[in-house]
Amino acid sequence: MRKFVTGLFVCLAVGFSHAQLPPGFSDTRFVSGFSLATALAFTPDGRLFVCQKNGLIKLVKNGVLQTNPFATISCETTLGRGLLGIAFDPQFATNPYVYLAYTAGSASVNPPPTPKNRVSRFLVNGDSVLPGSEEILVDGIASDSGSDNGGGLKFGADGKLYISTGQGSTNTMIAQDLSNLAGKVLRINSDGSVPADNPFFNQAPKRPEIWAYGFRNPFRITIRPGTSVPFVADVGEITWEELNVITRGANYGWPLAEGTSSNPALVSPAFSYDHVGISKCICGGVFTKSTKFPSVFQNRYVYGEYKQQLLKFVDFNSSNDMIGQGTFGPSATGPVDFAMGPDGSLYYVALQAASLQRITYQPAVNALNIPSSIDGGTQFEGSLTLNAVAPVASQRVLLSSSSPVVVVPTYVTLLSGSTTAAFSITTQAVSVATDVTITAAVPGASFARQLEVKPNAIKGLYVAAPTVISGLTLNATVGLVNPASQASVVNLTANSGVVTLPASIAVPAQASSKTFQLQALPVLTATAVVLSANWAGSTKTRALAVLPPVLNSLTVSANPIQGGQQGTGTVTLLGLSAGLSVALSDNTSLITTPSSVAVASGLNQASFSFGTAVVSTTVTRTMTASYSGMSRTDQITLTR
């Protein structure tokens, strides 16, 4: 029992899928208005051409279907026959040829007595085919049954044209006949000549064009990017659908085997699936190698399941071994041919929908991770999350703020495979609460969050005491109105150089104050100083008096001292001297005391010598040091 009665193009889909495309992918109608579209191809300059079964080739430029056709090919269109495949010369700029696979009929060039499949090339002149330029490269391929015509055309990296032909006959053994081109994969030069390294070259009656054989209806052929390895989707009959990796001179079994075979003379498919439960039909495929897609798609073969209206995939390693498979998503009805566009998108012909579909990948932002409110005049870190991983070429997300109160980067870049990215946000000081909208955008989509910027300012500048003695340190504190979400740098100044303090201090995140030390320099007279703290446009000041040092003590060493000997005294200040003199005196003529002692600048004490008179009995006398209205004394005992 055959799966098709009259060929692929009148086969009706019998099942619908509720599968969804993976996150980030979208499938949209690119162009519509086709009648039984069968194949598509891009020129290197980005023009897109779509073949119809009736021989019409339509041109799509800049996303617009052109009124005038690119070409009209006279072909036989009964049953599954018609215009089946298209390819452009890989050196199109210097060799402007289009290659077509079609069923020749009575109105075709060199008409055959019965419909036969052929491959011809035509010279391209602008947006049309040059009339009369057809060169027939391969002819006379069986189409006796009207179905199973094949018709795939692809150039390999070797510059050779690979052609897939169906058995096209009720005689299924024709696929095993090496003297016949039906049921084969052919390989020719771009001018129609046969490469000398083909497996059956110069082996008559074997046809030298044959590269591999044993196929039923290899309707579509795909070349893995960067290689000359054909992948052929062979439409099965009653049991198996096959995807075959083609090697030189190999026999893929039909009709001796369908699906996996234990016969060592036959090559089993790289991937196959059966028809249990529902009619199925593998039809078309392409390797989705594109920097606009995620990295997992760089070795992925996506194909159409015509009957089930599904897009499915098979993953291959670098050795062309299958390593995984699954469902990619639903499709527009009747996927029959695929191509990767120069824009990095996946295009496919949906025959029953009369449309050309485009699958693009664009992750969307599904979360902006920022607080709902933040203090003005602070900086903090936010992040965004995509609903799917960034593509191979990375993903740029544009950022914007609805107000200059909040400053965000112009964009953030997510590297291939990542789903999150962090960015810094800076807020300006505000006097009233301000609502700002932060927006993250990718082409065609955006995500926004509102952020409340709260007023924040310096609450006060506090010192531990209103005065400080020169040369000493004093604790001071800066306080904020609200705890800041991030470390907040407060600038500090003094209007006089007699006080030194840090140029700035950082109030830690989640804190509302920070203590620091200031240093008073030596002064001779009381000096008023104004301290200032500035942050986020707000300023607080504090007055402070720097006082001269205070006389702290007078001490005499070697006490008691024998009369007639010299002694040493020391005056000590609380604070540091700015260069001052301390007056000295005593209450007796028994001590010769200098009138004063100088305390050098930057020091807090000075020593001096004094003389004593000889005494006949032990006596006690008083020495006095005086400075700025303050006196200190010490008792001196003289002995005989």
Side-chain angles (χ1 to χ4, degrees):
M1 175 180 178
R2 297 178 61 82
K3 219 168 37 165
F4 308 115
V5 177
T6 58
L8 179 63
F9 307 113
V10 293
C11 170
L12 297 178
V14 297
F16 293 86
S17 171
H18 298 289
Q20 298 295 318
L21 286 168
F25 283 95
S26 61
D27 185 346
T28 58
R29 179 167 291 185
F30 186 61
V31 176
S32 60
F34 301 102
S35 175
L36 293 180
T38 57
L40 77 160
F42 284 91
T43 52
D45 59 18
R47 288 177 294 168
L48 175 56
F49 298 82
V50 179
C51 297
Q52 293 186 167
K53 182 176 182 288
N54 62 4
L56 196 66
I57 303 176
K58 293 190 173 184
L59 168 61
V60 179
K61 291 179 68 174
N62 301 317
V64 178
L65 182 64
Q66 303 300 295
T67 302
N68 296 325
F70 171 69
T72 301
I73 306 302
S74 296
C75 57
E76 175 65 39
T77 60
T78 56
L79 302 176
R81 303 177 178 116
L83 178 57
L84 304 174
I86 181 172
F88 287 90
D89 196 287
Q91 306 300 322
F92 186 78
T94 56
N95 206 34
Y97 285 102
V98 61
Y99 298 77
L100 301 176
Y102 68 95
T103 309
S106 58
S108 303
V109 173
N110 296 337
T114 60
K116 297 292 182 182
N117 292 314
R118 70 166 51 148
V119 175
S120 293
R121 74 174 183 178
F122 300 76
L123 192 61
V124 177
N125 180 27
D127 287 343
S128 62
V129 164
L130 188 66
S133 65
E134 180 176 5
E135 298 176 61
I136 300 173
L137 305 183
V138 183
D139 205 3
I141 306 169
S143 182
D144 304 340
S145 67
S147 60
D148 305 335
N149 291 281
L153 297 177
K154 284 293 185 297
F155 277 94
D158 57 5
K160 311 303 181 185
L161 179 62
Y162 292 82
I163 306 162
S164 59
T165 69
Q167 65 180 0
S169 171
T170 55
N171 174 20
T172 58
M173 286 303 295
I174 199 173
Q176 291 292 315
D177 183 357
L178 292 177
S179 67
N180 193 294
L181 296 180
K184 311 295 190 302
V185 170
L186 313 180
R187 178 178 180 257
I188 61 173
N189 294 316
S190 62
D191 62 0
S193 61
V194 178
D197 58 346
N198 273 12
F200 306 110
F201 188 76
N202 281 341
Q203 296 183 31
K206 298 175 183 178
R207 293 296 297 264
E209 301 95 333
I210 296 173
W211 185 252
Y213 61 104
F215 301 99
R216 180 181 177 274
N217 185 18
F219 180 61
R220 286 291 167 255
I221 189 169
T222 302
I223 305 293
R224 186 164 188 174
T227 76
S228 297
V229 179
F231 284 67
V232 167
D234 194 5
V235 179
E237 188 179 41
I238 60 174
T239 308
W240 297 97
E241 302 297 311
E242 297 183 0
L243 178 59
N244 297 280
V245 179
I246 307 304
T247 57
R248 179 181 183 273
N251 183 356
Y252 289 83
W254 178 259
L256 306 177
E258 188 181 36
T260 301
S261 172
S262 59
N263 186 341
L266 306 180
V267 177
S268 292
F271 168 68
S272 61
Y273 59 99
D274 62 29
H275 303 153
V276 174
I278 187 171
S279 181
K280 300 169 185 174
C281 173
I282 189 170
C283 194
V286 68
F287 278 93
T288 55
K289 187 175 179 63
S290 167
T291 60
K292 300 293 183 67
F293 282 7
S295 58
V296 70
F297 280 82
Q298 303 315 296
N299 295 304
R300 177 159 286 181
Y301 175 88
V302 170
Y303 67 94
E305 217 318 315
Y306 185 84
K307 282 293 196 75
Q308 293 179 291
Q309 298 181 29
L310 286 175
L311 301 179
K312 307 189 84 172
F313 70 86
V314 184
D315 287 330
F316 291 91
N317 61 19
S318 58
S319 300
N320 295 322
D321 299 319
M322 187 194 81
I323 56 175
Q325 57 91 18
T327 297
F328 181 43
S331 77
T333 53
V336 293
D337 198 16
F338 295 76
M340 295 303 297
D343 63 347
S345 300
L346 170 60
Y347 293 80
Y348 71 95
V349 170
L351 182 145
Q352 293 177 19
S355 68
L356 178 66
Q357 300 293 121
R358 178 171 65 176
I359 294 179
T360 56
Y361 182 75
Q362 177 58 74
V365 178
N366 64 0
L368 262 178
N369 306 305
I370 58 176
S372 58
S373 63
I374 194 69
D375 296 321
T378 61
Q379 186 180 67
F380 64 99
E381 189 172 86
S383 65
L384 58 85
T385 304
L386 301 179
N387 67 337
V389 300
V392 170
S394 75
Q395 178 64 56
R396 176 177 287 190
V397 179
L398 301 180
L399 296 173
S400 62
S401 167
S402 64
S403 168
V405 167
V406 176
V407 179
V408 296
T410 304
Y411 63 88
V412 61
T413 299
L414 289 85
L415 299 181
S416 174
S418 61
T419 57
T420 62
F423 56 93
S424 293
I425 299 178
T426 301
T427 61
Q428 306 300 318
V430 294
S431 58
V432 295
T434 304
D435 289 332
V436 179
T437 301
I438 308 300
T439 303
V442 296
S446 63
F447 188 94
R449 279 282 308 276
Q450 194 171 69
L451 173 66
E452 179 192 32
V453 181
K454 299 184 299 183
N456 200 0
I458 297 178
K459 183 177 183 181
L461 176 59
Y462 313 98
V463 291
T467 61
V468 59
I469 295 174
S470 62
L472 300 186
T473 59
L474 185 69
N475 285 337
T477 302
V478 169
L480 306 182
V481 173
N482 298 305
S485 60
Q486 297 291 319
S488 306
V489 178
V490 178
N491 296 319
L492 302 171
T493 58
N495 70 339
S496 172
V498 301
V499 171
T500 61
L501 69 171
S504 63
I505 59 167
V507 180
Q510 312 306 326
S512 58
S513 65
K514 176 69 174 179
T515 297
F516 62 96
Q517 281 193 327
L518 54 84
Q519 173 81 44
L521 299 181
V523 295
L524 291 174
T525 60
T527 303
V529 178
V530 177
L531 307 176
S532 297
N534 181 276
W535 172 71
S538 66
T539 301
K540 291 294 182 180
T541 61
R542 181 65 60 181
L544 177 69
V546 180
L547 303 179
V550 176
L551 184 60
N552 190 44
S553 65
L554 169 64
T555 58
V556 178
S557 60
N559 194 15
I561 186 172
Q562 185 178 8
Q565 302 294 316
Q566 276 199 332
T568 302
T570 301
V571 292
T572 302
L573 307 176
L574 178 61
L576 299 179
S577 168
L580 56 84
S581 179
V582 178
L584 300 172
S585 63
D586 59 76
N587 65 349
T588 177
S589 60
L590 297 177
I591 303 173
T592 306
T593 304
S595 61
S596 64
V597 60
V599 182
S601 180
L603 300 181
N604 69 339
Q605 63 178 208
S607 298
F608 59 93
S609 298
F610 61 91
T612 63
V614 176
V615 296
S616 58
T617 184
T618 299
V619 295
T620 299
R621 294 291 184 265
T622 300
M623 183 180 288
T624 301
S626 302
Y627 172 73
S628 190
M630 184 173 292
S631 297
R632 293 289 185 265
T633 62
D634 197 11
Q635 300 293 317
I636 302 173
T637 301
L638 300 178
T639 61
R640 53 182 299 208

